[in-house]
Amino acid sequence: MKRAIGAIDQGTTSTRFMIFDGHGRVVASAQREFSQILPRPGWVEHDPVEILNTVEAVAAQALAEAGMTARELVAVGITNQRETTVVWDRTTGLPLSNAIVWQDTRTDALCETLAEGHGIDRFRSRTGLPLATYFSGPKAAWLLGNVDGLAAAAASGRALAGTVDSWVVWNLTGGVHGGRHVTDVTNASRTLLMDIHTLEWSDELLQEMGVPRSMVAEIVPSVGRIGEGMGVLDGVPVSAILGDQHAALFGQACYEPGEAKNTYGTGCFMVMNTGARMVPSTHGLLTTVAYQIAGEDPVYALEGSVAVTGALVQWLRDNLGLISTSEEVEALAQEVEDNGDVYFVPAFSGLFAPHWRSDARGVITGLTRFARRGHLARAALEATAYQTREVLEAMRADSGVALTELKVDGGMVVNELLMQFQADVLDVPVVRPRVNETTALGAAYGAGLAEGFWDGTDVLRENWREERRWTPSMPLDEREHRYRRWQMAVERSLGWVV
């Protein structure tokens, strides 16, 4: 009897396949990193074929670990790094370029041209988004204008475009032999091409970006059967797609308006469920689709996106050699009592919410002869907490809701020094669930709901269990002093690119 659900979690630096039982417990998990291609400053690319190879490898590995065959899975759900844009040939199945990653800033000039005379909120009323390099519509436009032969392939109908979910699903469901070219409403809502009111591609926006309608995927609900897998997942229903942060919201059982979570990964993303109501942001947040279950109305959310958090720890490891593994950063930070008045603003790709400043670049401030490796490590961790506070304050202003606690998930939440500092900086309790990888869990929940493995979201809410809670302990005057110093550091990061 089938008693498990699979989830493909295709992230920015690695791909994971996880298998969950009916209680949302992990049965098996496999993970593999892939290459980060950095051709020039501000550019970040991925090899779509390498991504696909990691998907197949981790699925096979996790099934072997569980002692299962693919046919023993009820279904599989997919969650993915959002906004990263892939173009490929429908006749050969081969990519026509490396993927442009969500962190990439090469579309800055294009976004400025589109905003000229209108401002960055030109399309916000229709998309919920500002004009920014973050989103995938401008990335597709850049590829069309700069990859040899792509515009001709698009004009002939050979070229397809999509976010990573589209690339994975197309290949998983048959590729050149009838693979489905789809994306769900959550990923489509991050393109600057979908009308957030109708949940359909906007012909006007497609024309503004110069993206042919023939290239873009069919938009489908987040939860509902899409097709059947082939290859390593042969015969398994593919029954959910959710962008990674939407999946984490779903996995954290945030199904009611006002419930929120924060995911600490490569970047940091706070999402609040606003129910059937689209809340326009006037404080630098994004209005986005939280999820949609087939046959039901969409659920909306407010989101605050921070570009660099876990990626900063990787930078300390890979670029500076300050640590050998990411896990070492906590011990290094604990070698000092505080940050030594050192502040690190990791604006490697500009600043996202609530600033939306593509002209910002990373700065380290407050350095003296006193500063040591430990101070840099602590400042790097604290940067994540400060950026989260900026987003939370914007969310309070937009929604009118004051959070009483913050649910957290993602790879960085095992760092207890960071979690305590996060509670101190926010002055609210921080709560970690039993299953930290709620992104994959949310994709599995969606697929299980679609196939009747779970009866409804009430059952999923019962699965949620608290593992650890951190309560604030920092005095008010110290908390506010440190936050003011952070804001001074942010000011010094602005206006670097002219």
Side-chain angles (χ1 to χ4, degrees):
M1 185 175 180
K2 298 180 179 181
R3 297 186 180 278
I5 298 284
I8 297 168
D9 181 358
Q10 203 302 294
T12 307
T13 59
S14 68
T15 303
R16 188 194 313 264
F17 192 90
M18 300 188 75
I19 300 172
F20 298 92
D21 67 14
H23 298 286
R25 295 177 299 210
V26 178
V27 175
S29 176
Q31 183 177 10
R32 185 166 298 189
E33 291 191 359
F34 54 88
S35 305
Q36 304 297 303
I37 303 167
L38 309 169
R40 62 178 72 175
W43 289 32
V44 189
E45 299 178 355
H46 290 158
D47 178 353
V49 172
E50 186 182 8
I51 285 176
L52 198 60
N53 289 341
T54 63
V55 170
E56 295 169 350
V58 295
Q61 184 180 340
L63 286 167
E65 179 183 318
M68 300 174 62
T69 67
R71 295 294 181 120
E72 293 178 273
L73 294 176
V74 174
V76 65
I78 296 172
T79 181
N80 60 286
Q81 53 167 318
R82 304 169 300 172
E83 298 95 16
T84 296
T85 306
V86 187
V87 290
W88 69 97
D89 190 318
R90 71 164 76 235
T91 61
T92 67
L94 297 176
L96 295 167
S97 166
N98 278 340
I100 300 182
V101 179
W102 57 272
Q103 300 160 312
D104 190 287
T105 60
R106 75 185 69 183
T107 59
D108 188 37
L110 174 59
C111 290
E112 287 182 4
T113 298
L114 289 167
E116 193 171 349
H118 304 276
I120 65 170
D121 289 333
R122 178 181 180 186
F123 303 129
R124 187 184 282 273
S125 63
R126 274 174 290 173
T127 66
L129 312 173
L131 267 167
T133 60
Y134 184 20
F135 306 110
S136 49
K139 298 182 195 300
W142 188 94
L143 288 165
L144 281 163
N146 291 275
V147 175
D148 289 343
L150 179 57
S156 69
R158 285 193 300 113
L160 299 178
T163 39
V164 174
D165 58 303
S166 296
W167 167 246
V168 171
V169 170
W170 187 80
N171 281 283
L172 190 60
T173 58
V176 297
H177 304 293
R180 290 204 65 190
H181 187 213
V182 300
T183 190
D184 89 301
V185 292
T186 66
N187 281 289
S189 73
R190 316 293 297 194
T191 61
L192 279 169
L193 299 173
M194 188 191 81
D195 188 316
I196 198 170
H197 305 275
T198 65
L199 306 187
E200 296 177 353
W201 300 121
S202 163
D203 287 326
E204 182 182 350
L205 293 171
L206 288 167
Q207 184 175 355
E208 287 282 356
M209 301 281 177
V211 178
R213 179 176 273 274
S214 62
M215 288 185 73
V216 296
E218 175 190 355
I219 300 175
V220 298
S222 311
V223 175
R225 185 179 291 197
I226 295 157
E228 287 194 354
M230 297 181 67
V232 68
L233 294 174
D234 185 47
V236 181
V238 180
S239 301
I241 305 173
L242 293 124
D244 51 11
Q245 304 314 316
H246 316 261
L249 187 78
F250 209 77
Q252 284 274 36
C254 295
Y255 306 128
E256 296 297 325
E259 294 181 329
K261 67 85 199 176
N262 200 31
T263 297
Y264 299 75
T266 303
C268 201
F269 304 88
M270 187 181 296
V271 184
M272 175 186 284
N273 184 325
T274 63
R277 184 170 67 105
M278 283 184 289
V279 177
S281 176
T282 57
H283 294 84
L285 302 181
L286 311 177
T287 304
T288 192
V289 180
Y291 57 87
Q292 184 185 27
I293 298 172
E296 299 183 10
D297 291 334
V299 174
Y300 292 93
L302 278 173
E303 177 178 331
S305 306
V306 175
V308 176
T309 53
L312 178 54
V313 176
Q314 291 175 324
W315 184 82
L316 294 179
R317 180 193 69 189
D318 300 337
N319 292 52
L320 294 191
L322 206 62
I323 50 178
S324 299
T325 67
S326 296
E327 292 75 19
E328 292 175 12
V329 71
E330 182 173 12
L332 181 56
Q334 287 174 328
E335 290 181 2
V336 294
E337 293 184 1
D338 54 35
N339 66 5
D341 202 33
V342 174
Y343 291 83
F344 200 148
V345 182
F348 297 159
S349 301
L351 288 172
F352 286 7
H355 306 280
W356 297 107
R357 292 287 296 267
S358 60
D359 63 336
R361 285 297 179 268
V363 299
I364 304 173
T365 63
L367 290 176
T368 65
R369 286 285 301 274
F370 175 73
R372 298 166 47 194
R373 295 166 66 247
H375 295 118
L376 285 177
R378 187 174 282 264
L381 293 178
E382 291 182 355
T384 292
Y386 289 125
Q387 290 178 103
T388 297
R389 173 166 169 174
E390 289 182 324
V391 168
L392 180 58
E393 290 186 346
M395 201 162 279
R396 285 170 175 160
D398 274 335
S399 69
V401 176
L403 291 184
T404 56
E405 65 180 25
L406 181 65
K407 291 182 177 180
V408 299
D409 55 72
M412 295 184 78
V413 300
V414 298
N415 189 310
E416 299 198 359
L417 177 66
L418 170 60
M419 292 298 98
Q420 181 59 56
F421 190 77
Q422 185 69 89
D424 288 339
V425 166
L426 297 182
D427 197 30
V428 297
V430 168
V431 183
R432 184 175 70 194
R434 182 182 59 193
V435 177
N436 290 339
E437 296 302 334
T438 53
T439 302
L441 181 61
Y445 277 170
L449 280 179
E451 299 299 329
F453 187 65
W454 290 293
D455 292 333
T457 55
D458 287 344
V459 176
L460 304 183
R461 188 183 292 279
E462 291 174 3
N463 281 347
W464 192 91
R465 293 289 184 274
E466 176 180 321
E467 180 190 71
R468 179 73 192 273
R469 175 180 294 259
W470 290 267
T471 57
S473 60
M474 185 179 290
L476 172 64
D477 57 347
E478 181 181 353
R479 178 172 63 247
E480 295 310 307
H481 169 73
R482 292 189 181 199
Y483 187 56
R484 284 193 299 271
R485 300 290 279 177
W486 162 260
Q487 291 173 312
M488 290 170 60
V490 170
E491 285 297 318
R492 285 156 174 77
S493 77
L494 304 178
W496 190 261
V497 179
V498 294

